[in-house]
Amino acid sequence: MKIPNIFEDETKAVSFAAGVTIFSSGDQGEAMFVIQSGQVELSVKGKVVETVGEDGFFGEMALIEDGPRTATAVAKSDCVLVPINRQRFEFMVHEVPQFAVEVMRVLSRRLRRLDDGVV
Amino acid sequence: MKIPNIFEDETKAVSFAAGVTIFSSGDQGEAMFVIQSGQVELSVKGKVVETVGEDGFFGEMALIEDGPRTATAVAKSDCVLVPINRQRFEFMVHEVPQFAVEVMRVLSRRLRRLDDGVV
């Protein structure tokens, strides 16, 4: 996903080394992350539910619902992430409809995958 | 969810009697539905995953991803539904940010519930 340059000053990329925990299930979530490079593994109760790669994003659920992290995110490789805080998230949802569409698409895809696993 | 009156002429509510199937898993989806009254049960592979009541909505995933229905929707009681077709959905996502936020919230809540079920 391309992040519009509307908050250029706030777009400070952060680096994580392979194996580092970015956030843990139960944490308060203050930001979502767009992956500039590398891969991040999301797990719920110790089970990997998704591997997110370049241009993908994760951590948006805590912003949408203002609740704790459901998943634990670990850098699968060295990676560079662009955090999007709550204020920026809300701005983008309101001003960049394509961003909202992309977030909905990712959530919907995850639900489909989980539904496929229902027995 | 309140539907803005921007498409008044197209807001034709439709009624379903208790027990009637509104759509089935695998169907092509052309609309989502907002529940004006009554309750609708969503099931995946024969297992009830959600009961949606008044002001709730369902069927949005087929519009977001342009894919087939994942769930089967059955009227749990007599109900009145307002269909939102693709064109209207896209218009609302672009013009009514609160609508996009509400759709994201519902998807996120469902994911949390499913994640809680992961063992």
Side-chain angles (χ1 to χ4, degrees), chain B residues 7 10 15-16 22 25-27 37 41 43-45 61 69 71-72 81-82 86 95-97 100 102 109 116:
Chain B
F7 283 80
E10 295 172 36
S15 298
F16 291 86
I22 299 156
S25 166
D27 286 358
S37 66
E41 214 163 58
S43 56
V44 174
K45 298 181 186 172
M61 283 168 61
R69 299 293 190 192
T72 293
L81 310 179
V82 180
R86 187 176 307 277
E95 302 299 327
V96 189
E102 191 56 31
R109 251 183 244 142
D116 283 345

Side-chain angles (χ1 to χ4, degrees), chain B residues 4 26 39 50 53 56 75 77 85:
Chain B
Q39 287 195 316
E50 193 170 353
S77 64
N85 65 17

Side-chain angles (χ1 to χ4, degrees), chain B residues 71-84:
Chain B
T72 293
V74 173
K76 196 180 177 183
S77 64
D78 291 351
C79 59
V80 179
L81 310 179
V82 180
I84 298 183

Side-chain angles (χ1 to χ4, degrees), chain B residues 96-112:
Chain B
V96 189
Q98 196 46 44
F99 175 75
V101 169
E102 191 56 31
V103 172
M104 287 190 269
R105 198 165 284 149
V106 165
L107 293 171
S108 186
R109 251 183 244 142
R110 274 193 219 148
L111 273 167
R112 262 181 212 273

Side-chain angles (χ1 to χ4, degrees), chain A:
Chain A
M1 188 180 50
K2 296 285 164 256
I3 300 295
N5 256 345
I6 42 182
F7 283 80
E8 211 160 348
D9 292 348
E10 296 172 35
T11 309
K12 301 273 185 246
V14 283
S15 298
F16 292 86
V20 167
T21 298
I22 300 157
F23 57 72
S24 298
S25 165
D27 287 358
Q28 269 313 111
E30 300 303 332
M32 63 176 278
F33 298 91
V34 179
I35 302 182
Q36 215 166 71
S37 67
Q39 286 195 317
V40 171
E41 213 164 57
L42 304 176
S43 56
V44 174
K45 297 180 185 172
K47 184 182 167 186
V48 174
V49 291
E50 193 168 352
T51 301
V52 187
E54 210 173 300
D55 287 340
F57 58 86
F58 62 96
E60 71 298 321
M61 282 168 62
L63 298 186
I64 293 169
E65 289 191 279
D66 202 12
R69 300 292 190 192
T70 48
T72 293
V74 173
K76 196 179 178 184
S77 64
D78 291 352
C79 58
V80 179
L81 309 179
V82 180
I84 299 183
N85 65 17
R86 187 177 306 277
Q87 188 191 7
R88 192 175 173 206
F89 177 78
E90 280 165 12
F91 181 91
M92 285 174 70
V93 167
H94 283 74
E95 302 299 327
V96 189
Q98 196 47 44
F99 174 74
V101 168
E102 192 55 31
V103 172
M104 287 190 269
R105 198 166 284 149
V106 165
L107 293 171
S108 185
R109 252 184 243 141
R110 276 193 217 148
L111 273 167
R112 262 180 213 274
R113 258 207 319 273
L114 284 171
D115 281 343
D116 282 346
V118 171
V119 271

Side-chain angles (χ1 to χ4, degrees), chain B residues 16-72:
Chain B
F16 291 86
V20 167
T21 298
I22 299 156
F23 57 71
S24 297
S25 166
D27 286 358
Q28 269 312 110
E30 300 303 330
M32 62 177 279
F33 297 92
V34 179
I35 302 183
Q36 215 166 70
S37 66
Q39 287 195 316
V40 171
E41 214 163 58
L42 303 177
S43 56
V44 174
K45 298 181 186 172
K47 184 182 165 185
V48 175
V49 291
E50 193 170 353
T51 301
V52 187
E54 210 173 300
D55 288 339
F57 57 85
F58 61 96
E60 72 296 321
M61 283 168 61
L63 298 187
I64 294 169
E65 289 190 280
D66 203 10
R69 299 293 190 192
T70 48
T72 293

